[in-house]
Amino acid sequence: MSIGVWVLGDQLWENQAALQSCGDIKNIPVILIESIKHIQTRRYHKQKLVLVWSAMRHFAEELQKKGYAVTYQECDDFAVGLQTWVTENKITELRVMMPNDKPFLQTIQNLNLNCNINLIPNNQFLWSREEFSAWAKTRKRLLMEDFYRQGRRKFNILMDGDKPIGGKWNFDQENRKPPKGKLNTPAAMWFSQDTITQEVINKVQSLKFPTYGKLETFSWGVNRQQALEVLAYFITYRLPNFGTYQDAMVTGEGTMWHALLSPYLNIGLLQPLEVIQAAEQAFYQHQLPLNSVEGFIRQVLGWREYMYGIYHFVEPEYKDLNYFNHTHSLPEFFWSGETKMNCLKQIFTQIENTGYAHHIQRLMVLSNFALIAGLSPQEVENWFHAVFIDAYDWVMQTNVIGMGLFADGGILASKPYGASANYINKMSDYCKNCVYNHKIRIGENACPFNFFYWHFLYQHREKLKKQGRMSFILKNLDKMSSSELESICQQSESWHERDR
């Protein structure tokens, strides 16, 4: 029997399960493949393509230096590249770590190779799919907060015996300060391009099919050493003030105090436990603010693991759910960035240049707009998946279908995250330079977030009544005159007929 290992582009970790299952590395052929057909499923961001392909090439080089027999192929299709390699190396068993995404599992299962394919259980997350399923099956509601607390206990993170450090599990209330005055945010850590990355950039720029975004500059890290440098930089310069302003949005401040670690975590250059423990260690050694450390750890130990667990726990039909029956097509300005709404324009510009926006920009501006404007959840999810540098199926289905758009009817979130322009004005400076007035609900100068928000509440009042946290907000509808409500509905419906 001759064993070979196929390393996928989001599993770039020497201790990943398929590599570790083989023992003696010197006798095991390893392959990594760049497939042109695979990246034509959607208009991926150029920055994402460069990140993944450059990281794959760097990882292959690192494995070769450690004695692995590595083959790196650029081909049209995975199947063609694999079959050639399997035949040349007389491989009888191909080992692959279980992919993170369901569609890619289907891709593997559809391969017709002249060898057996052995899927090795995935070890890239803290909770296995089986462990999450066992936890979920005992719950009446799959609340992230409950899962997060269980994770804190399970991995003994920020714990004082069986109690949380500081006496509370969650310091989220301290992490919502609006941006006022000069914030003095630390610069992000970026990198210059080496020869490998430049070769990938040239390849991406020469692609003959539609992609998204700009590639005038590319500054992301592309190997584990650089990812570790970003982690260390975050812990030293950004984590101390991360919590307080983590929900704030400021023009020209694309990253604020955010970690910028998700692209590296999601392709395997960093592992969740090392990231969590680095933050915890800094808390103890440098007495960092607990609200910052806990808030960050909750994103990784809580939210990220929860998203992955839910994704593999729910039925396959989850991706098609549409609780509010929203069917409006995605406006073209999501791709072009040409809109008069300054908040959206600022974020679209940022995404176009870097492939990145932080979680509040994604949830409370992009997803919020899509929700209250009645956009198709599936079209919105596809856009998120295409344009973000850290996007994968397991991330975007749960974050967009569930959290952002409430299209699952509450399987994941406790309420829809819809808000008017008042929220955006409070948590950002975007409204100051917008042609629309954030205080007005109807009329030519009214912010679309306002009339869409109240139309959303009015249109779905019966369904929203079932969400206990919405009762107080819904009562505000009763304070509006029938004529104002009618005008709001008319303006909302007519907006979709015009080019905005």
Side-chain angles (χ1 to χ4, degrees):
M1 176 182 288
S2 180
I3 298 172
V5 175
W6 178 19
V7 175
L8 307 184
D10 59 350
Q11 301 177 350
L12 308 180
W13 178 37
E14 191 179 0
N15 290 324
Q16 62 115 294
L19 286 173
Q20 289 300 301
S21 72
C22 297
D24 186 359
I25 64 173
K26 294 182 179 179
N27 298 322
I28 304 298
V30 176
I31 189 169
L32 294 91
I33 303 173
E34 293 177 14
S35 166
I36 293 296
K37 182 179 178 181
H38 179 65
I39 65 166
Q40 294 183 61
T41 54
R42 50 178 52 88
R43 288 176 58 187
Y44 283 112
H45 202 303
K46 293 182 178 73
Q47 300 267 336
K48 167 85 170 284
L49 298 179
V50 173
L51 171 67
V52 175
W53 282 348
S54 182
M56 287 172 64
R57 295 185 187 195
H58 281 89
F59 185 64
E61 188 177 78
E62 291 169 11
L63 291 182
Q64 286 175 331
K65 290 178 179 177
K66 293 181 178 181
Y68 289 85
V70 179
T71 298
Y72 197 97
Q73 288 197 4
E74 302 174 57
C75 55
D76 290 335
D77 183 76
F78 288 124
V80 175
L82 283 168
Q83 189 56 66
T84 301
W85 177 74
V86 164
T87 301
E88 289 176 351
N89 289 275
K90 299 181 173 59
I91 290 169
T92 56
E93 180 190 345
L94 175 63
R95 294 187 183 179
V96 189
M97 185 165 79
M98 183 70 74
N100 298 324
D101 289 348
K102 295 174 186 177
F104 206 87
L105 175 59
Q106 192 65 52
T107 296
I108 295 173
Q109 292 172 336
N110 290 339
L111 291 171
N112 185 21
L113 303 177
N114 295 329
C115 68
N116 293 323
I117 299 177
N118 185 0
L119 290 166
I120 309 299
N122 190 299
N123 67 342
Q124 213 166 335
F125 290 80
L126 297 177
W127 288 70
S128 71
R129 300 170 194 184
E130 293 74 22
E131 288 172 330
F132 184 90
S133 180
W135 173 84
K137 287 177 179 177
T138 66
R139 321 296 300 186
K140 290 183 179 180
R141 288 205 63 184
L142 303 178
L143 295 178
M144 195 284 285
E145 183 66 24
D146 293 342
F147 173 75
Y148 167 60
R149 295 181 183 186
Q150 185 66 19
R152 291 268 295 272
R153 297 185 187 100
K154 178 181 173 73
F155 297 100
N156 193 32
I157 302 297
L158 294 180
M159 295 296 293
D160 181 10
D162 61 350
K163 302 293 183 182
I165 292 287
K168 294 194 301 182
W169 292 100
N170 188 319
F171 289 82
D172 200 36
Q173 291 296 326
E174 298 177 26
N175 294 345
R176 297 173 179 168
K177 190 173 180 179
K180 302 294 182 183
K182 187 161 180 62
L183 298 180
N184 296 314
T185 57
M189 171 168 273
W190 300 116
F191 300 91
S192 58
Q193 303 157 8
D194 63 8
T195 302
I196 291 177
T197 300
Q198 189 56 59
E199 289 173 352
V200 175
I201 289 173
N202 294 340
K203 176 177 177 176
V204 171
Q205 292 285 44
S206 68
L207 294 174
K208 304 301 183 184
F209 48 83
T211 53
Y212 171 78
K214 294 182 178 178
L215 201 50
E216 279 74 14
T217 60
F218 177 87
S219 304
W220 294 94
V222 291
N223 57 45
R224 175 160 169 79
Q225 181 56 43
Q226 290 177 334
L228 287 170
E229 289 177 30
V230 177
L231 172 59
Y233 183 86
F234 167 69
I235 295 296
T236 302
Y237 298 105
R238 293 188 154 209
L239 181 58
N241 293 309
F242 165 78
T244 305
Y245 293 104
Q246 70 168 292
D247 285 7
M249 300 172 284
V250 178
T251 302
E253 294 279 0
T255 64
M256 300 290 284
W257 282 274
H258 292 273
L260 304 184
L261 297 177
S262 57
Y264 310 121
L265 279 164
N266 290 358
I267 60 176
L269 296 183
L270 292 176
Q271 298 306 307
L273 192 58
E274 71 180 339
V275 168
I276 292 164
Q277 289 176 338
E280 183 185 40
Q281 183 179 16
F283 168 74
Y284 289 120
Q285 289 184 347
H286 304 293
Q287 292 76 54
L288 299 188
L290 182 55
N291 68 303
S292 288
V293 177
E294 185 278 320
F296 171 71
I297 287 176
R298 180 158 23 97
Q299 289 189 356
V300 184
L301 178 60
W303 197 248
R304 185 174 185 271
E305 294 287 325
Y306 178 70
M307 292 287 105
Y308 181 75
I310 290 285
Y311 172 79
H312 287 286
F313 179 74
V314 296
E315 297 299 323
E317 296 77 20
Y318 186 91
K319 68 181 186 301
D320 301 315
L321 294 179
N322 191 350
Y323 181 67
F324 294 116
N325 297 315
H326 286 166
T327 58
H328 287 295
S329 296
L330 191 79
E332 177 56 29
F333 63 66
F334 269 71
W335 295 107
S336 70
E338 296 301 320
T339 175
K340 295 178 182 178
M341 287 174 274
N342 189 48
C343 58
L344 288 175
K345 188 174 184 62
Q346 293 295 328
I347 297 170
F348 289 146
T349 300
Q350 181 183 317
I351 297 168
E352 184 180 27
N353 290 328
T354 66
Y356 175 81
H358 67 70
H359 68 277
I360 292 299
Q361 292 174 316
R362 300 188 199 198
L363 176 64
M364 296 308 299
V365 181
L366 300 174
S367 293
N368 177 21
F369 179 82
L371 169 67
I372 60 180
L375 305 186
S376 159
Q378 285 64 45
E379 289 192 33
V380 176
E381 192 273 339
N382 179 68
W383 180 83
F384 267 78
H385 193 155
V387 305
F388 282 110
I389 197 163
D390 55 4
Y392 293 88
D393 200 57
W394 69 267
V395 181
M396 288 308 166
Q397 268 196 38
T398 43
N399 269 290
V400 178
I401 300 293
M403 180 71 171
L405 303 185
F406 206 77
D408 65 1
I411 294 173
L412 191 151
S414 58
K415 73 176 183 68
Y417 281 84
S420 68
N422 181 58
Y423 175 89
I424 297 171
N425 182 59
K426 176 184 176 183
M427 297 306 298
S428 78
D429 64 353
Y430 296 148
C431 297
K432 294 178 182 177
N433 296 305
C434 188
V435 299
Y436 297 112
N437 189 325
H438 68 274
K439 297 179 180 180
I440 300 176
R441 292 173 178 167
I442 53 176
E444 191 64 28
N445 295 324
C447 176
F449 276 86
N450 287 338
F451 55 75
F452 276 139
Y453 175 67
W454 292 105
H455 181 244
F456 169 75
L457 295 181
Y458 175 75
Q459 187 179 28
H460 300 295
R461 184 167 190 166
E462 291 307 309
K463 284 186 175 181
L464 294 172
K465 276 183 181 178
K466 301 174 184 177
Q467 312 303 322
R469 297 173 67 185
M470 298 294 294
S471 299
F472 175 78
I473 296 171
L474 290 171
K475 288 179 181 178
N476 290 316
L477 286 172
D478 299 327
K479 300 176 183 178
M480 289 188 186
S481 66
S482 57
S483 60
E484 184 178 14
L485 272 175
E486 184 178 354
S487 295
I488 285 172
C489 293
Q490 288 177 350
Q491 189 158 355
S492 298
E493 291 163 1
S494 65
W495 185 93
H496 290 285
E497 300 171 4
R498 293 179 290 174
D499 182 16
R500 290 300 180 94

